Amino acid sequence: MSDPSRRDFLGALTSLPLLPGLLTRPEHLAAGPQRLRIRTVTAGITVAALPDPAVEAALAFLERSRRFFQEAGYEVQTVRIATAPLPLVATSEARRESLPQLRALDELVGSHGALVSIGPVGLDDTRTEDLGAWVAELIGSTRNLSCSVAVARPGGGENRSAEMAAAASIQELSRTTPAGLGNFRFAAAANVPAGTPFFPVAYHEGAPAFSLGLESAGLVGEAFRSAANPAAARERLRLTLDSELTRVERLALELAARERRRYLGIDASPAPGLDRSIGEAIEALTGRPFGSPSTLSACALITDVVRSLAVKTCGYSGLMLPVLEDPTLARRAAEGTFGVPELLLYSSVCGTGLDVVPLPGDTSVEGLSAVIGDVAALAVKWGKPLSARLLPVPGVATGGVAHFDDPRLTDSVAMGIE
């Protein structure tokens, strides 16, 4: 079957409310009345070398955790391990020798139905010219492993060479992995703290711990649809999130006591799913298509509420706008109601940054580095965690259809940056 033309594609977008002919909905998302899902239970560990018994211990903990939350009535979509930055990938020489161990780690974790992030790579190496090729080889030869490049560290400034290394990694992944999908497991991380449960930027510090990431965009939409005005929406959202997340926190604290493992908190970012759109929730508040005037104030409102919650939070705890994981955002991007500059603007009041953003396949390293630099500048200026997960689509020009044979992603168009 040939790819749809842009005209046919946009016609489908405007005539169908949520892309039913274009979305591939995962079976585990298609059913279930739950108002809130646990996107991830992420166990943080420190390993001195690989293999390490801490990995097996974390996998056992995650299996018990999955059962614990399921028995309490929650769907647990994934379980994950985040390691402290690994010494075996800190320098060019060490990276060259690390691939067999990392592939073995990937296989072990995958055999237990889990995912793993090894965190930022290349932290101690000023020679980063080989990093892109190594990241592409690592991601291309594994299935369950994620990593990142730190382009700004918490409390520090921008790292220009790291921005270029991250851009080179993105370009290499787009060229060497099917449809460029290796970039789903890689990001440039700016000011991202340890203990963040969401991938691909997660990493760990200190004694073993765990954190939670939630899929709660449906709660935002529920609060906004039943509110008469922005002030009422703010209060209803706060009450809804506090109530629902407090229930999860009580369970997490009980689990921490049982397991004698540190609990770091909940990343309260209201992550969307293919059946629960944060874009649709924002439109319920503004009454306008996402990207129209008032979108910025809606983003700020959600973030203000998220950061005022009574529960212990960690990670981003802002607003996620993952273009390819949200049908409304994907549709509005295709309609041209917003682009990359607008996403950067929204990141100034919310954030995770630029998440699963489809780009033209011929985007240059310099163009990628410039966008990553803007994300890093925002993160440093405002002291907040942001990241850039960019997906150049091979063979697709600006405005062309961005289609992926992946159940986690919907269709949109390549968004130009050059």
Side-chain angles (χ1 to χ4, degrees):
M1 181 181 295
S2 61
D3 290 336
S5 68
R6 176 170 168 78
R7 178 180 298 174
D8 292 340
F9 179 72
L10 289 173
L13 290 174
T14 55
S15 63
L16 298 174
L18 285 177
L19 299 173
L22 296 169
L23 284 177
T24 303
R25 181 171 292 175
E27 292 181 2
H28 74 283
L29 289 179
Q34 287 187 338
R35 302 165 70 224
L36 174 70
R37 298 177 178 127
I38 296 176
R39 173 69 64 84
T40 176
V41 181
T42 300
I45 59 173
T46 300
V47 298
L50 293 173
D52 191 298
V55 177
E56 294 276 9
L59 289 168
F61 161 77
L62 289 171
E63 183 54 39
R64 294 191 297 271
S65 300
R66 190 200 297 268
R67 289 198 302 268
F68 176 81
F69 284 109
Q70 287 174 339
E71 289 169 0
Y74 288 94
E75 177 186 342
V76 179
Q77 295 179 320
T78 65
V79 291
R80 311 178 184 185
I81 292 174
T83 72
L86 296 174
L88 74 163
V89 299
T91 67
S92 297
E93 182 178 356
R95 286 194 294 272
R96 284 195 296 269
E97 300 172 355
S98 66
L99 288 173
Q101 298 169 74
L102 294 173
R103 289 169 182 148
L105 172 65
D106 175 76
E107 291 178 7
L108 172 62
V109 170
S111 70
H112 287 76
L115 305 171
V116 61
S117 172
I118 61 172
V121 298
L123 283 177
D124 299 328
D125 195 356
T126 57
R127 295 170 52 246
T128 56
E129 60 273 8
D130 68 325
L131 192 59
W134 180 83
V135 167
E137 186 174 1
L138 173 65
I139 297 295
S141 61
T142 57
R143 298 182 62 184
N144 311 290
L145 186 147
S146 296
C147 66
S148 61
V149 166
V151 297
R153 302 192 200 184
E158 291 182 59
N159 184 328
R160 299 294 185 186
S161 64
E163 291 169 5
M164 187 61 73
S169 301
I170 292 167
Q171 187 183 74
E172 195 68 20
L173 283 165
S174 74
R175 291 173 175 172
T176 60
T177 60
L181 266 175
N183 276 306
F184 190 79
R185 294 188 279 129
F186 175 80
N191 211 29
V192 175
T196 303
F198 286 113
F199 280 26
V201 300
Y203 70 101
H204 179 67
E205 288 179 355
F210 74 99
S211 57
L212 303 177
L214 306 180
E215 185 180 292
S216 56
L219 296 177
V220 181
E222 176 185 310
F224 287 172
R225 281 189 292 271
S226 58
N229 53 60
R234 179 188 298 269
E235 182 62 13
R236 187 173 292 275
L237 180 59
R238 185 188 64 79
L239 291 172
T240 299
L241 291 180
D242 259 335
S243 174
E244 295 294 330
L245 270 60
T246 296
R247 293 189 182 101
V248 176
E249 182 174 69
R250 290 194 190 108
L251 290 169
L253 291 170
E254 181 182 342
L255 179 65
R258 286 188 186 187
E259 296 284 341
R260 298 183 179 179
R261 183 178 285 256
R262 283 193 304 151
Y263 168 60
L264 301 178
I266 297 171
D267 190 322
S269 305
L274 291 184
D275 64 345
R276 303 177 187 205
S277 166
I278 193 66
E280 183 181 11
I282 289 171
E283 291 184 356
L285 176 64
T286 66
R288 300 179 178 186
F290 183 92
S292 303
S294 72
T295 298
L296 181 66
S297 61
C299 292
L301 184 154
I302 295 170
T303 303
D304 288 347
V305 171
V306 166
R307 293 182 177 167
S308 71
L309 298 177
V311 297
K312 182 178 182 180
T313 60
C314 64
Y316 294 108
S317 287
L319 176 62
M320 289 186 172
L321 300 172
V323 176
L324 291 173
E325 293 181 330
D326 185 302
T328 299
L329 296 181
R331 183 171 73 250
R332 297 307 184 205
E335 293 170 350
T337 64
F338 73 94
V340 173
E342 286 76 22
L343 288 174
L344 285 167
L345 174 64
Y346 306 148
S347 293
S348 68
V349 299
C350 65
T352 54
L354 302 178
D355 197 20
V356 282
V357 175
L359 300 177
D362 62 356
T363 304
S364 68
V365 169
E366 291 75 18
L368 292 167
S369 178
V371 170
I372 292 168
D374 283 346
V375 172
L378 280 172
V380 171
K381 172 66 176 177
W382 301 116
K384 63 195 300 180
L386 297 173
S387 56
R389 185 162 46 156
L390 309 174
L391 277 70
V393 188
V396 175
T398 299
V401 177
H403 171 75
F404 300 90
D405 291 320
D406 189 294
R408 298 164 296 186
L409 304 177
T410 186
D411 296 343
S412 190
V413 299
M415 304 168 72
I417 59 173
E418 295 182 299

